[in-house]
Amino acid sequence: MKKITIAIDGFSSCGKSTMAKDLARRIGYIYVDTGAMYRAVTLFALRGGLFRADGSILLDELQDRMADIHISFRLNPETGRPDTYLNGTCVEHEIRSLEVSNHVSPIAAVPFVREALVAQQQQMGRGGGIVMDGRDIGTTVFPNAELKIFVTASAQVRAERRYKELIEKGMPADLEDILHNVEERDYIDSHREVSPLRKADDALELDNSYMTIAEQNAWLMARYEEAVREA
């Protein structure tokens, strides 16, 4: 059976990563969380003092230090899912913080950051057998992917999911702050100059606002089986 490339795009906090991880594990594909890669760069910038007080980025300094940023994924034997590593250190917990969420969209809009990470993502995906999620996978990274999914949900539902996730992890969270962050990220992601978030013309749309995880996984598995038969 031919191994295909699966691109899952969509808005923040709509469950893309969970869907992609579960699908990859079920079908034996490699999973790459591109959002985690941009979050890792954001964490590096925050730790390095590369944001001004007004939230703008010290672009020259960041560009000079891009060569110092090494992102990798390692399978966590306890969860069965890959964790994100920044320069050899696991940062899976840190990159999910609200502070990183509040700064990641401007980082993801920087052309030289996107160029560097897209090149890494395309290298990872050569040969198929990969599930990748993000904002521009079906439009920029893998425009010829055999299966493209665009996931959406209402901003309120996504904010509530993010709030619950942070609370369960014992991290500080305020629902109104999270809703504001979700809406702001939607605007930035959809209006950035380089690779804006948009549904690819040949992508299948999934609104999972009121779907259970089991329901969306079943929907995605059916779409995968259809795509493999047609490949």
Side-chain angles (χ1 to χ4, degrees):
M1 183 180 295
K2 178 185 176 182
K3 289 191 173 183
I4 65 173
T5 298
I6 302 172
I8 300 179
D9 291 307
F11 293 95
S12 66
S13 302
C14 61
K16 299 185 307 297
S17 296
T18 299
M19 291 175 60
K21 290 174 185 176
D22 288 345
L23 178 65
R25 186 170 65 249
R26 290 179 67 185
I27 65 179
Y29 277 25
I30 296 169
Y31 165 73
V32 177
D33 182 353
T34 62
M37 297 175 74
Y38 289 100
R39 284 176 172 272
V41 175
T42 303
L43 181 64
F44 180 91
L46 286 166
R47 288 176 171 177
L50 302 182
F51 283 95
R52 298 184 181 90
D54 64 359
S56 60
I57 307 163
L58 298 171
L59 292 173
D60 290 343
E61 287 86 343
L62 178 58
Q63 188 164 22
D64 288 343
R65 300 190 64 184
M66 282 300 295
D68 299 328
I69 302 175
H70 303 286
I71 303 166
S72 58
F73 298 94
R74 302 180 193 174
L75 189 67
N76 183 321
E78 294 183 2
T79 65
R81 294 177 173 178
D83 286 338
T84 309
Y85 282 72
L86 173 61
N87 295 333
T89 300
C90 181
V91 293
E92 187 65 30
H93 183 74
E94 292 87 340
I95 64 173
R96 308 298 174 183
S97 69
L98 186 57
E99 182 182 24
V100 170
S101 295
N102 284 333
H103 290 83
V104 66
S105 287
I107 286 286
V110 175
F112 64 77
V113 173
R114 299 204 68 82
E115 182 179 354
L117 296 190
V118 166
Q120 288 187 39
Q121 293 155 13
Q122 290 173 331
Q123 181 63 35
M124 292 175 184
R126 287 181 178 173
I130 194 165
V131 181
M132 193 174 291
D133 76 274
R135 301 290 191 280
D136 62 348
I137 310 306
T139 54
T140 300
V141 183
F142 294 119
N144 296 318
E146 290 89 345
L147 177 58
K148 300 178 185 178
I149 306 294
F150 189 85
V151 191
T152 186
S154 72
Q156 183 67 40
V157 166
R158 288 183 284 134
E160 291 171 356
R161 289 174 181 171
R162 184 70 177 144
Y163 174 80
K164 182 179 179 181
E165 177 185 351
L166 291 171
I167 292 298
E168 289 177 347
K169 291 181 177 179
M171 302 174 72
D174 179 272
L175 183 56
E176 288 304 313
D177 287 345
I178 295 171
L179 178 58
H180 175 73
N181 170 254
V182 165
E183 293 172 338
E184 184 176 52
R185 289 183 66 190
D186 286 353
Y187 182 84
I188 294 174
D189 291 344
S190 300
H191 291 80
R192 67 189 179 209
E193 184 175 348
V194 180
S195 298
L197 171 65
R198 66 176 180 84
K199 177 186 172 184
D201 292 339
D202 54 348
L204 304 174
E205 184 168 331
L206 171 64
D207 185 333
N208 66 2
S209 296
Y210 303 104
M211 295 177 74
T212 65
I213 291 178
E215 288 172 339
Q216 68 183 14
N217 284 350
W219 183 91
L220 186 59
M221 190 67 183
R223 303 293 83 73
Y224 159 73
E225 292 170 347
E226 291 171 2
V228 168
R229 285 196 298 267
E230 296 173 1

